[in-house]
Every structure is written in structure tokens, then in C-alpha cells.
Amino acid sequence: MLVRFLGAHGYDHYVYAPKNDPLHRERWRDPYPPRELAAFRELAATCADAGVRLVYAIAPGFSYDANDPRDFERLVAKITSMVDAGARGIALLFDDLTTDSTTLDPVVQAELIARTASVVESLDRDLTFWFIGNFYCGTVAELRAGTGFWSALYGRTALEYFEAYARFVPPSIPIMWTGPAVFTARLARDDVEELRALVRRPVVLWDNFPVNDTLPGQLFLSPYVGREPEALRALHGVVLNLMSQASANRIPLATAAELFANPDAYDPVAALERAVRKVARDERSAAALRMLVEQQKGHPVLAGQACAQELARHIAAAFGDERVDADGIAALRDYLVALVENDRALREHLADDPLLDEVAPWSEQLARLARAALLGLEALDGVASREEYESARDAARATDRVVAATVLPPVLLPLVAGQGDTVDRFATLFAEIDRRLDAAASRDVS
């Protein structure tokens, strides 16, 4: 279904590169068994029918032995088998190498890229071929100066690799790059043009959006933003790295398709609304999905998108100053009730849809948080006990599903170039409720 969606929305390549497939990375030498090869052949046929080129990515860099001729023969055999099974392109990956990997030498890596490119061309001159190095991100200033995370990790500079690529790899072969960082908030024309001049070849942006493998508790349904039209025009192409939720990917993918089709006229807000309508079955399911998307619209890396803005407005209206606003509280209560009821509506109107299975954990968590907040408002009114509210609040906060929030763990900060809006709407709401309950308890004691 996803591949057909890609083809219908103007995407022309699908890259098969799952890190949880050991035959793609750790056990790259091993051939696929007949059943898995048949599944790949079926995927290739689906791609062909959809007008999408299937690119098989292989990552031999951890263990490839340049001194053993049989290893190159094994690589050729693996690539040949995948082309025979229907792959219309090959991507050779050296990303995320460890310090004991066998292809850290720039010449070894560059020679392997060049030899592989020659083999791919000999199989079919129409095949796509890209590669990515272990210095796969960074600003040009960092890459030139030999500073940053990768130089510290590998004890080498990016320029050593780029010089080796220029020496051995034909300049027409594109290099893949994730941008100024692993996760890039904004991409400008200068970023691309300076990198392209440094590497002396076309650049394919391997964009880590809307991928959530490093943030599995978050679901990113935001529109694609932060990429200047001129930056896109300076690129050879863009590959989007997707979430684990195949069906939910269609929402951000639909918005990105609009940007790629007409960068100068792109309206992310309107594109997101159209995406929701495309994915939903009808207006009722669209309404329920729209409310969930509003809570998941933010992204901790992409700039310019904030999640749960309507909830934030209600919180501010209810608790905007030291005095609790009765009308604001009433409106906030109505909105929280709507969030609780939306979980039921989503299940009713998206029943038996794969999308429901993917988003249900976040929808459930949204309802759980909203119910706890409603108990908090009742505690403020004296209708519910503080203990009952706090129990519901703590239970709701215990899950790892992130809703109405965008969270970027500190460990990921070195991998980010430009941080977006990191928020937690329900944390703000609970803090406001707790503060006023504390104040009321203090008055009672005095």
C-alpha cells in the first residue's frame, strides 16, 4: 500500500535499507533464502507497477576485507542477485561505522565504492547507484576544519575521505548526506551548494524525517518544513527516512510530495489538511484523525512546527494569570472532554484500517492524559479528591508514549543542527493544576 501511495504522489525511488535486516548489514555476505528473495521480487514488481524504482542498499563496511578477493566476489554476487530479483538501483552504505570497522581507511572505502559502481554499471547502465560515507553529515565549516563528532570518533578528517572519493570515484556518482547534522532543522541553499563544491559531486539528501527509530515513543505527523526551495533545487534528490508506522507515514509523505512538486507555492498548513483528508476514509474519520494529528504535529528537530497549539491556548486562557478564569476553565474542560471522546471516534470511524492499529497507542494515551487533567479540574472544584487526581496523573505520565509534546533527549543534542520547539503541554497543565491545589491547601492550613 505504501509503495503505491508513493507512486501516486510523485515519488520515484524506494530505498530498501532496514537496519534490522541482518542480511543488509551485519551478514551482508549471506544470500537471501528463497522465501525472502521471493518477497523482495514481489516488492520489486509492486514498485515497478507503481512507477517507483526499488533501490537495494547494502552496508558491508563493518567487516569487508579488502585483502580477501573473495569478499568482493561475495559483494558482487549479492548485488547481482538483488538486481536479478528486480532492484533498479544499488546504494552502498558506510554510515554508522564503529571504530573497529574494516573500511575506515579512506582509500579502501573509495576503491570499494568505485569497483562496486563499475559492477553495477556493467549489470545495467540504467541502474541507480549512490553511496554514503561515514562522514555523512556536518556543516562545511566543520568538515573543512576536521572538527565535530565524527572526527573525534574516527581520528580522521572528512577531507581525507572526500579527497579519496574524488581520486577514485567518478564525479557523476552522487553522495548521500543527512544535512548539517544527523537531524537537520533547516536546510538552506548555501548548505547544499557549499557541500556540493566540497565533495565535487551531486548530493542526495538522506533526510531523517519523519523517522522515529531513535524516538520510538513519538509519532511525527507534522508537515515537511525547513527546506528552502533553492536548497531542494540544488540537490540531486531527496530520500526521506520513514517512521516504523508504515501507514501513518502517508501523512507527512503527502505534505512532502506537495513541497517537491511546487516548492515556491508550498503551504504546510494546507498541505497537512489535504494529507489528512487523503488518508482518512470520510469526513467523520478525517475529523477524528485531524484532532489526533494536531497533538502530534510538532517535531523536536524540524523547526517551525509546534504540537497541540489549541490545547496550549486553552491552558493559557484558563491559567494565564494568578486568577483562574472561569470561562477559560469551562472551555478547557470542553476541549479535554473532546480529546477523550476522540479516541472512541477514531476507533469507530477507522475500524479495520491499518492506520488505526498504528496510531491507537497514542490516541489511548491522549485520552488517558485528558481524563487525568479533567480529574485535576474537578479537584480544583472540590468534586474529586487530590489523591484521585494525582493517581490518574502519575499513571498517565508513566507510559513512554509522547502525546501533545515533542521531546528531544539530551543524548541526541550532539546529532541535531537547530532545535525545534520542545514542549510538553500536559506537563504544563498538570503543573498549573498542582500549583493551585498547593495554594488552596496552604490557605486551608493557615
Side-chain angles (χ1 to χ4, degrees):
M1 180 173 65
L2 180 60
V3 167
R4 295 187 179 90
F5 184 88
L6 293 175
H9 288 79
Y11 292 91
D12 52 13
H13 286 71
Y14 177 77
V15 181
Y16 177 89
K19 287 187 177 178
N20 62 355
D21 177 359
L23 300 183
H24 144 79
R25 191 168 284 260
E26 292 86 357
R27 292 170 47 204
W28 62 269
R29 297 176 178 86
D30 297 345
Y32 282 94
R35 178 175 295 181
E36 293 186 37
L37 202 59
F40 186 86
R41 190 173 288 110
E42 183 178 348
L43 173 62
T46 301
C47 285
D49 289 343
V52 176
R53 296 171 70 92
L54 176 58
V55 176
Y56 177 76
I58 188 165
F62 287 96
S63 60
Y64 179 83
D65 186 353
N67 296 316
D68 183 354
R70 294 173 298 177
D71 253 8
F72 187 69
E73 293 171 4
R74 295 181 185 109
L75 180 61
V76 171
K78 185 68 165 283
I79 289 172
T80 302
S81 70
M82 304 315 290
V83 171
D84 288 344
R88 298 304 303 150
I90 298 294
L92 192 63
L93 310 186
F94 295 94
D95 60 315
D96 298 333
L97 296 182
T98 54
T99 54
D100 60 348
S101 297
T102 58
T103 55
L104 289 180
D105 184 289
V107 172
V108 167
Q109 199 177 113
E111 287 184 335
L112 181 55
I113 294 167
R115 293 180 70 190
T116 305
S118 180
V119 167
V120 171
E121 184 178 23
S122 71
L123 293 174
D124 186 338
R125 293 179 64 87
D126 189 47
L127 292 175
T128 297
F129 182 76
W130 305 321
F131 75 95
I132 194 167
N134 48 311
F135 279 80
Y136 59 82
C137 68
T139 66
V140 169
E142 290 172 341
L143 296 172
R144 283 191 186 279
T147 59
F149 176 80
W150 303 117
S151 292
L153 177 65
Y154 297 125
R156 298 177 184 271
T157 68
L159 293 183
E160 293 178 70
Y161 289 91
F162 297 155
E163 289 297 330
Y165 301 155
R167 179 181 172 191
F168 292 100
V169 182
S172 61
I173 294 177
I175 188 171
M176 304 180 82
W177 173 64
T178 65
V182 177
F183 302 98
T184 296
R186 294 180 175 88
L187 190 70
R189 180 186 64 183
D190 289 349
D191 295 324
V192 178
E193 291 185 344
E194 290 173 6
L195 189 280
R196 193 175 59 190
L198 184 64
V199 299
R200 288 169 277 179
R201 63 185 63 253
V203 175
V204 172
L205 178 67
W206 191 318
D207 207 349
N208 276 311
F209 171 84
V211 64
N212 63 349
D213 58 352
T214 57
L215 296 166
Q218 300 189 55
L219 190 69
F220 301 127
L221 303 178
S222 58
Y224 192 42
V225 294
R227 279 75 182 116
E228 290 184 359
E230 291 301 323
L232 297 177
R233 283 189 272 268
L235 291 163
H236 180 75
V238 178
V239 174
L240 298 177
N241 200 3
L242 302 183
M243 294 185 290
S244 303
Q245 290 76 21
S247 188
N249 280 315
R250 293 176 297 162
I251 295 173
L253 279 173
T255 70
E258 290 198 23
L259 174 62
F260 298 145
N262 193 347
D264 296 312
Y266 179 63
D267 179 344
V269 175
L272 183 62
E273 172 60 23
R274 284 188 286 270
V276 168
R277 288 180 174 275
K278 286 178 182 178
V279 170
R281 289 176 171 173
D282 50 35
E283 184 50 46
R284 291 183 302 172
S285 59
L289 186 58
R290 187 181 297 113
M291 178 165 273
L292 178 65
V293 166
E294 165 64 21
Q295 319 311 315
Q296 307 298 134
K297 192 174 66 173
H299 195 290
V301 173
L302 283 185
Q305 292 295 306
C307 68
Q309 291 172 307
E310 186 171 356
L311 176 58
R313 287 192 292 270
H314 284 300
I315 294 170
F319 301 108
D321 51 36
E322 291 306 310
R323 182 181 62 83
V324 174
D325 183 272
D327 290 339
I329 289 288
L332 173 61
R333 181 180 286 109
D334 289 344
Y335 189 70
L336 292 171
V337 169
L339 292 179
V340 171
E341 293 177 347
N342 197 66
D343 182 51
R344 175 197 55 76
L346 202 63
R347 293 174 184 281
E348 177 182 348
H349 301 309
L350 282 179
D352 301 321
D353 190 316
L355 177 62
L356 176 62
D357 293 336
E358 294 177 356
V359 304
W362 284 269
S363 180
E364 292 169 0
Q365 173 64 358
L366 177 61
R368 192 180 297 119
L369 288 164
R371 281 193 292 267
L374 285 167
L375 279 174
L377 298 183
E378 291 179 358
L380 286 176
D381 288 340
V383 177
S385 70
R386 182 168 187 173
E387 292 75 16
E388 185 180 8
Y389 151 65
E390 289 179 342
S391 176
R393 177 201 64 194
D394 294 345
R397 299 290 284 177
T399 180
D400 62 354
R401 304 292 180 181
V402 176
V403 177
T406 53
V407 179
L408 188 66
V411 69
L412 292 182
L413 283 175
L415 306 181
V416 172
Q419 186 177 345
D421 187 12
T422 301
V423 298
D424 190 334
R425 304 302 188 196
F426 278 99
T428 299
L429 176 53
F430 292 142
E432 292 287 356
I433 293 171
D434 293 345
R435 187 160 68 91
R436 283 159 175 78
L437 287 173
D438 288 341
S442 178
R443 288 194 298 271
D444 290 345
V445 170
S446 63

